[in-house]
Amino acid sequence: MSNQGTNALGAANQAWMSAFHNGPYTSIKMIEYITGRFNFTYNNLITRPRDYRTRANLITENGGDAYFRGTWAGNTGRCTSFAAKVVNNLERDYPGVFQFQFHHFGGHRIAYCTRNRIVIDSGSLVGAFQLTPNQWKSINDGTVNWMVEDSGRLSWSRTNRLGQTTTHTSSNPISRDRAMVLCLQEVAERAPCLVFFRSVQQNGVPRFHGMIKWDFRAKRLELTAASETPNHKVLIIWDGTGNAASEDEALRYLSEFLVNYGGPRYWAQWTADGIDEINYRIWVYACNAWGGDPRAEREGNGN
């Protein structure tokens, strides 16, 4: 591909939008990696998540790309996977145009292009964006702000729904493999197992939809509706009172949730990288570990 006259921000934004649209935010592939790396089964995840926490520090860069490629090269992943795949595609398709670094901000990782000052951040709701030295860049309705200094130091601040603002800085870039290690260690320590659907709307605006999340301590699967109806949640519960009929109903709730709250790409995202099969595998292990068939109940006021 010719690089003459390349619109760097336009190319970066196109790659960002493609990654956002094609797959959900999810930790499932990281869970799969850790499970296989340490010869666990999903029973460990469900009944002994501490097994994952005790292995966190054993995840290192040794092995490099051969170890980690499956956690970022597909269509799914967390913030690190998102940045890694976008960077890989841009540097492959536009050699000499981009030169990215990865930065770690206390639980969040992004990629920053030192040639064009472009940021690849999966949490952005404006796609890829460009920084002006020593000036704050405000995105996401002012709740997220970025700045790069002449020295190359990056600053990132985020304001939560309670109005509390936290600020992180990074002066030392890290490698992609180190970024993936940090991501995998976080997943091992907390064992978050979720799928957050998203898409790019016809007007070009990125949007998040519904979320499916396992709560292993409470022995349930939570189906949380899109952000405009945050009080609507379906709980699929394993408490020993379910039967075959209630499990069928729970599976129906899950299917309806995907259609109603998974966004326009729900099926492509649910089946991306085989994460649907992994979720159903966890479901089977849950039935064996938690006393039989589940039942579903609604929480909040939704349909």
Side-chain angles (χ1 to χ4, degrees), residues 57-229:
N57 290 333
L58 299 179
I59 302 171
T60 68
E61 290 96 319
N62 292 339
D65 188 61
Y67 268 154
F68 303 131
R69 189 172 183 83
T71 63
W72 65 261
N75 287 324
T76 67
R78 301 172 76 226
C79 57
T80 313
S81 304
F82 184 95
K85 80 173 95 271
V86 173
V87 165
N88 180 74
N89 293 342
L90 287 172
E91 292 184 340
R92 178 197 64 205
D93 295 342
Y94 302 94
V97 174
F98 298 97
Q99 186 171 340
F100 282 99
Q101 300 173 337
F102 290 86
H103 287 265
H104 174 61
F105 294 95
H108 184 55
R109 283 154 296 279
I110 60 94
Y112 172 72
C113 179
T114 57
R115 289 182 177 170
N116 301 297
R117 301 188 304 276
I118 291 171
V119 176
I120 303 299
D121 175 10
S122 68
S124 165
L125 293 180
V126 297
F129 55 91
Q130 199 164 28
L131 299 179
T132 300
N134 306 309
Q135 295 182 22
W136 284 101
K137 171 77 172 183
S138 182
I139 63 172
N140 297 9
D141 295 326
T143 61
V144 175
N145 293 276
W146 284 94
M147 183 174 67
V148 62
E149 299 174 19
D150 288 331
S151 64
R153 187 175 77 161
L154 286 168
S155 296
W156 170 62
S157 73
R158 179 174 60 181
T159 304
N160 63 22
R161 292 181 178 180
L162 299 177
Q164 301 166 329
T165 300
T166 56
T167 301
H168 299 271
T169 61
S170 173
S171 300
N172 301 311
I174 58 177
S175 69
R176 183 188 65 197
D177 288 345
R178 180 59 185 162
M180 284 309 312
V181 165
L182 291 169
C183 171
L184 288 162
Q185 288 177 341
E186 286 175 5
V187 172
E189 288 168 356
R190 301 199 306 264
C193 195
L194 59 89
V195 181
F196 200 175
F197 296 94
R198 59 193 180 190
S199 70
V200 178
Q201 301 176 89
Q202 290 185 351
N203 61 3
V205 176
R207 176 187 170 190
F208 284 94
H209 301 285
M211 180 171 66
I212 294 173
K213 181 179 181 180
W214 289 92
D215 185 336
F216 299 122
R217 180 173 297 179
K219 299 182 181 180
R220 69 190 192 187
L221 179 63
E222 301 176 356
L223 315 180
T224 305
S227 57
E228 64 268 19
T229 53

